[in-house]
Amino acid sequence: MSASLPGPPEASDVGLPPAVPEAPDHDIRAVLAITPFRRLWLALGLSSLGDWLGLLATTALAATLAQTSSGKLLAVSGVFVLRLAPAVLFGPLAGVVADRLPRRWVLVYGDVLRFVLFCTIPLIGTLWWLYVATVLVEIVGLFWMPAKDATVPNLVPRKRLEAANQLSLVVTYGSAPVAALLFSGLTLASGVLDGVWSHLEGNPTYLALYVNALTFLVSALVIWRLEFPQSTNRAAKQESILRTAVEGWQYIGRTPLVRGLVLGMLGAFAAGGFVIGLAPAFVSALGAGSPGYGTLFAAVFLGMALGMWIAPRLLSEFSRRRLFGLSIAAAGVWLILLSSIPNMALAVFFTVGLGSCAGAAWVTGYTLLGLEVGDDVRGRTFAFVQSMVRVVLISVLALGPIVAATLSRVLHLPTTVHINDDVALTYTGVMATFLLAGLGAIAIGYVSYRQMDDRKGVSLVADLALAISQRQLHDPPARRSPYPGRFVAFEGGDGAGKSTQVRLLGEWLGEHGHTPLLTREPGATDAGAKMRDVLLHGGDLSPRAEALLFAADRAHHVETVVRPALYRGEIVVTDRFADSSIAYQGTGRDLGTAEVAQLSRWATEGLVPDLTIVLDVEPDTGRSRRADEHDRLEQEPDDFHARVRERFLALAQRAPSRYLVVDAALGPQEIHRRVVQRLAPVLPESTIERAAREVREAADEQARQAAQRQREHHAQVEEQVLAERQARRRAEEQARRAAREQAELEAKVQAAAEQAAAAKAAAERAAAEQAELEARAAAAARDRAAREADEAAREATRQAAREATHRGRHHRADDTLVQPTVAPGEPPALEDEIFDLGEREQR
């Protein structure tokens, strides 16, 4: 409510500006204008599209990977079961996570994980990994959905929650037919692209899986950029996970409305689960095959989207509790028709009808849950519903084939009924199962209707016909532009204590710096006082004349008193307003609530109180409080006042964001406390509050400036410390560089000295070697000269010997020279030895 209240006006707004249209509470465009919700809604649409596309792709891939016909059926059923099975273990934990952890990051990480998991399915390409990835994807989804559902009420005003839930559910289930068409298109495109990308060859579902993964990645990017308020149960963070989950279950169990809604939704899904599990066999019996399965799959979810979108609008004034049970029963009727006429064309039509009723029941139940459940347990409640829905679906998916097979054996099905020569209808065990499911849905709807009926004694047919025929009167006209004041109305039966509460609230408003204007209907103006006398104390009036007089008084009252005060910024508190006419004349006088409501809207130009407090009082209690003084309306019997009371409560139930219902049996001060508690957060700023705010802002500004100065001082100190540290580091670096250069220089000098010493030693070694070589050469020369001298001497000796020998021989020949005689054993003479040596050398 507070989000929809106008803020203070500009100077130019003072006065009565012309009427400017303001969107009604259920306007879809007004909900989508809320940026955080719109972005979350887009992310939800992408994730839902990916979910449905992934379901189609994984079931089709499972059938492809299986080898036998029975194996294909089991593989597809296995995918369904594995998508639902994790809810048994992880559903309660997911609810606790949604109530404890930051929901934004739960959503982002969940989408990223699903992106990765879906990418791995075609990359690995095995049936076992398909099953593993399916389980992991479902576990992540169990955490993602409660976080999303619990976040939506924090992003939109309470008065627009129903429209937000409607949009969320429509995009969740309405994306299923889009996914079916996209899946068909991607499988066809895969046949064209497999020539470019061989990975797709023979695997037409791979492309769909990659596109499916991409939707989750884009969704994560959208949510990552989204900022929205986080409201989780801080107290629950101190408790154990088990206790937190048990408290959520206990809340559901002890709250009758929530318990009834949950049981009704589970029963409806139990009946619909048979259709989901047996649809392939059903279309196969009709000869439609896989195209028929895809068509039926799209039809049921198209119907759900239509039901979610149309039912709240078509039956805007119809009791939501009645609509819930009625929708479940109507879905059962469509199921019976589906089982009775086995024709594919009619089956599509019946399936759309079935989906429409299921969608109406789902959005109604979801909205009632969202309005009734507080934020601290909202995540656990939605997680419980989603988990139990999956548990029920697992059960019926497992029982569906068994029930169908049993009925086939017991009833000897299939059997063919020949209508004529051209028309024959074949009935199977699957169709018999549909019949039982339809009867079960009707029973569940009837029980739910009986338990939740809030208009007992009113004909259902008449109520439904009136809601349909008069729906055009339910759209409120455009309201005027926002006003700076606030408009509060007290409603309730006679004797409820409204006048006392108006007075107490006026005193409280004055004490807190507001300018209250206390008024009443009828009789707040001079003309109104005369009409009040006629209405309450005059003679008999026809019901229509009475309604018109009340409308006339209200029109004059609003135009001359209420609206000018609102534009002056005052807090207008009225004892009765338009709801009294709807309750007393519309219901009590049986003139029709729609007509009377339209009359009041026209009279007030669409002015609606910002808050209406309904003081609920029993008719006999109100009569005892009125003592002996009774006006025309107070004199009516108790059944009249009972109908009036029911209408007040019904009005409050349909727009809880604008109503506060308080038990009038409580003490006046307790009632006043509850009224103030609800009203205080949405009141404009009073003069006292403005002065206190200015003082706080001045103190905050001083504190901010002091903190800024302190930060600047700290920054300067840090800069100085940093400069000194940098200077020290530079000096140390320079010293290290100088030391390094000195060490390098010394190393170079040492190396040069070592090189010089090595060169000197080498020179000395070379000189010594040269001297040695020269000495050796001189010695060799001397030796050679000696040898040459010896050789010359020997040669001279030999030459002399030869000459002597020659002369001796010549002498013996000529002069008969006698040879010397050598005695035996004596050594030869020296001359003989020398001559003999010479001869040997000569030889």
Side-chain angles (χ1 to χ4, degrees):
M1 174 179 171
S2 60
S4 63
L5 290 175
E10 301 293 340
S12 59
D13 292 337
V14 179
L16 295 179
V20 177
E22 182 177 320
D25 290 355
H26 292 9
D27 188 76
I28 300 301
R29 291 172 299 180
V31 179
L32 291 178
I34 303 172
T35 301
F37 172 78
R38 183 177 68 253
R39 293 180 179 174
L40 181 63
W41 181 72
L42 292 174
L44 172 63
L46 290 170
S47 293
S48 299
L49 179 65
D51 254 340
W52 294 120
L53 187 59
L55 176 61
L56 289 168
T58 51
T59 52
L61 181 59
T64 302
L65 294 175
Q67 302 300 322
T68 63
S69 57
S70 59
K72 293 179 184 297
L73 293 175
L74 292 175
V76 174
S77 298
V79 172
F80 278 112
V81 171
L82 290 175
R83 283 182 68 91
L84 302 174
V88 179
L89 296 176
F90 293 94
L93 178 61
V96 175
V97 169
D99 284 336
R100 284 192 176 192
L101 299 183
R103 293 167 183 161
R104 174 171 177 258
W105 293 113
V106 172
L107 298 177
V108 172
Y109 292 146
D111 278 336
V112 172
L113 285 174
R114 287 190 284 185
F115 162 74
V116 174
L117 288 170
F118 273 115
C119 282
T120 62
I121 293 176
L123 292 175
I124 297 178
T126 59
L127 186 59
W128 71 269
W129 178 250
L130 171 64
Y131 286 159
V132 172
T134 297
V135 172
L136 295 177
V137 166
E138 185 60 26
I139 291 173
V140 175
L142 285 173
F143 288 87
W144 197 93
M145 286 302 295
K148 184 274 298 179
D149 292 332
T151 297
V152 170
N154 296 333
L155 300 182
V156 299
R158 282 182 57 85
K159 69 176 184 176
R160 303 202 187 280
L161 179 58
E162 183 175 6
N165 282 335
Q166 185 182 10
L167 278 171
S168 298
L169 292 174
V170 165
V171 76
T172 298
Y173 295 98
S175 57
V178 178
L181 295 175
L182 181 60
F183 175 72
S184 300
L186 290 173
T187 53
L188 293 175
S190 179
V192 178
L193 297 176
D194 57 4
V196 179
W197 190 10
S198 60
H199 178 60
L200 301 177
E201 187 174 356
N203 301 292
T205 59
Y206 282 6
L207 182 61
L209 286 169
Y210 286 125
V211 173
N212 166 40
L214 186 61
T215 62
F216 289 108
L217 181 60
V218 176
S219 173
L221 293 175
V222 172
I223 299 177
W224 178 61
R225 299 180 58 192
L226 176 63
E227 293 290 344
F228 51 79
Q230 177 65 35
S231 178
T232 55
N233 188 3
R234 298 181 181 273
K237 296 181 179 180
Q238 307 299 325
E239 303 172 352
S240 66
I241 292 178
L242 178 60
R243 178 170 179 80
T244 305
V246 170
E247 284 186 354
W249 301 337
Q250 290 175 344
Y251 171 80
I252 296 172
R254 68 173 178 262
T255 308
L257 175 61
V258 178
R259 183 176 64 248
L261 287 170
V262 171
L263 293 177
M265 295 166 75
L266 294 181
F269 265 89
F274 287 102
V275 179
I276 296 174
L278 298 175
F282 176 73
V283 297
S284 179
L286 297 180
S290 297
Y293 171 60
T295 303
L296 211 62
F297 186 91
V300 67
F301 288 103
L302 176 62
M304 289 187 70
L306 291 175
M308 292 174 184
W309 186 261
I310 295 176
R313 295 170 174 269
L314 182 65
L315 303 173
S316 58
E317 288 295 325
F318 190 67
S319 168
R320 291 296 182 263
R321 299 190 181 191
R322 282 189 161 192
L323 179 60
F324 181 71
L326 183 62
S327 300
I328 296 175
V333 173
W334 285 109
L335 258 178
I336 293 175
L337 292 175
L338 183 64
S339 67
S340 303
I341 308 176
N343 177 272
M344 189 60 202
L346 291 176
V348 174
F349 174 72
F350 295 152
T351 303
V352 172
L354 167 65
S356 299
C357 294
W362 184 251
V363 72
T364 302
Y366 223 73
T367 300
L368 290 174
L369 281 178
L371 294 174
E372 293 293 329
V373 179
D375 183 71
D376 56 339
V377 295
R378 190 180 297 139
R380 282 165 285 174
T381 302
F382 282 117
F384 179 83
V385 172
Q386 293 162 2
S387 299
M388 292 307 299
V389 164
R390 285 166 169 79
V391 172
V392 169
L393 286 177
I394 290 173
S395 303
V396 299
L397 285 175
L399 292 175
I402 298 175
V403 173
T406 302
L407 291 176
S408 296
R409 288 194 298 270
V410 172
L411 301 177
H412 304 289
L413 301 174
T415 184
T416 302
V417 178
H418 295 276
I419 306 300
N420 53 42
D421 294 338
D422 299 324
V423 179
L425 302 177
T426 300
Y427 294 95
T428 64
V430 173
M431 297 171 190
T433 306
F434 285 176
L435 177 62
L436 288 180
L439 294 175
I442 292 175
I444 293 170
Y446 176 76
V447 172
S448 177
Y449 176 83
R450 296 287 295 177
Q451 290 183 349
M452 299 177 62
D453 185 14
D454 57 347
R455 303 197 65 191
K456 298 185 183 297
V458 179
S459 169
L460 172 63
V461 176
D463 196 19
L464 186 61
L466 180 64
I468 295 175
S469 62
Q470 300 296 331
R471 66 184 181 87
Q472 68 272 14
L473 298 177
H474 301 327
D475 296 328
R479 294 173 56 183
R480 286 183 180 266
S481 60
Y483 39 77
R486 297 292 184 269
F487 187 21
V488 181
F490 280 88
E491 300 281 12
D494 294 300
K498 297 183 298 300
S499 300
T500 301
Q501 293 303 317
V502 169
R503 177 179 55 80
L504 291 175
L505 182 58
E507 294 174 355
W508 181 88
L509 290 170
E511 292 172 357
H512 287 76
H514 296 283
T515 304
L517 173 64
L518 309 184
T519 184
R520 66 175 182 174
E521 287 191 0
T525 62
D526 293 339
K530 297 176 182 178
M531 284 186 278
R532 179 184 179 87
D533 185 62
V534 174
L535 285 166
L536 302 183
H537 306 290
D540 292 336
L541 290 174
S542 67
R544 292 184 180 276
E546 182 179 272
L548 290 170
L549 283 174
F550 273 113
D553 171 76
R554 184 165 299 118
H556 187 59
H557 179 219
V558 168
E559 189 66 24
T560 60
V561 176
V562 176
R563 187 169 281 117
L566 292 175
Y567 280 102
R568 291 194 300 267
E570 299 177 9
I571 310 301
V572 179
V573 183
T574 180
D575 182 351
R576 296 197 183 281
F577 195 60
D579 288 350
S580 289
S581 291
I582 296 173
Y584 279 89
Q585 283 74 49
T587 301
R589 301 295 192 199
D590 201 21
L591 292 178
T593 57
E595 291 91 339
V596 175
Q598 179 67 11
L599 179 62
S600 293
R601 292 189 192 105
W602 180 81
T604 62
E605 295 185 79
L607 180 64
V608 177
D610 296 299
L611 176 64
T612 299
I613 297 101
V614 177
L615 301 181
D616 183 31
V617 62
E618 295 283 352
D620 54 350
T621 303
R623 184 176 62 254
S624 64
R625 290 180 176 181
R626 294 193 299 268
D628 296 332
E629 296 183 3
H630 302 285
D631 57 33
R632 287 180 62 256
L633 294 176
E634 293 172 346
Q635 293 173 0
E636 295 294 336
D638 284 352
D639 61 345
F640 174 88
H641 291 285
R643 293 195 303 273
V644 169
R645 180 194 179 207
E646 291 177 0
R647 177 52 57 185
F648 276 129
L649 295 178
L651 290 171
Q653 180 186 3
R654 289 170 185 169
S657 63
R658 291 195 301 103
Y659 285 83
L660 171 65
V661 179
V662 183
D663 187 359
L666 299 173
Q669 292 301 325
E670 175 61 19
I671 296 175
H672 174 65
R673 185 190 68 80
R674 297 190 181 188
V675 170
V676 168
Q677 184 180 14
R678 175 67 179 274
L679 182 61
V682 299
L683 287 175
E685 189 178 50
S686 67
T687 54
I688 295 176
E689 293 169 342
R690 185 181 301 109
R693 176 178 57 79
E694 291 174 352
V695 172
R696 288 195 305 271
E697 289 177 352
D700 292 343
E701 180 64 20
Q702 292 177 357
R704 188 190 64 79
Q705 292 178 357
Q708 180 65 24
R709 289 192 296 271
Q710 185 70 16
R711 285 194 299 271
E712 292 175 354
H713 175 68
H714 288 167
Q716 292 176 355
V717 172
E718 290 177 357
E719 289 179 359
Q720 292 176 357
V721 172
L722 180 61
E724 293 175 357
R725 188 177 299 137
Q726 290 175 347
R728 187 165 56 253
R729 281 200 298 267
R730 284 194 297 270
E732 292 174 353
E733 180 65 24
Q734 291 174 357
R736 285 194 298 270
R737 188 183 303 112
R740 189 166 54 250
E741 293 174 352
Q742 181 66 27
E744 292 175 354
L745 180 60
E746 291 177 354
K748 291 179 180 179
V749 171
Q750 181 65 27
E754 291 176 355
Q755 289 178 358
K760 180 179 180 181
E764 291 175 352
R765 284 195 302 273
E769 290 174 356
Q770 182 65 28
E772 183 179 357
L773 290 175
E774 291 177 353
R776 289 179 181 177
R782 285 193 302 272
D783 292 342
R784 189 169 51 253
R787 283 194 303 270
E788 290 176 355
D790 291 342
E791 181 66 26
R794 284 194 298 269
E795 180 63 28
T797 304
R798 283 193 300 268
Q799 183 65 28
R802 282 192 301 267
E803 289 178 356
T805 301
H806 179 72
R807 282 191 306 268
R809 288 175 181 173
H810 183 72
H811 183 266
R812 281 189 306 265
D814 294 335
D815 297 326
T816 318
L817 179 63
V818 181
Q819 291 287 344
T821 301
V822 180
E826 291 182 2
L830 178 59
E831 292 85 357
D832 294 336
E833 185 178 355
I834 290 173
F835 288 132
D836 184 62
L837 178 62
E839 291 177 356
R840 285 196 305 267
E841 287 180 355
Q842 183 66 31
R843 287 193 298 266

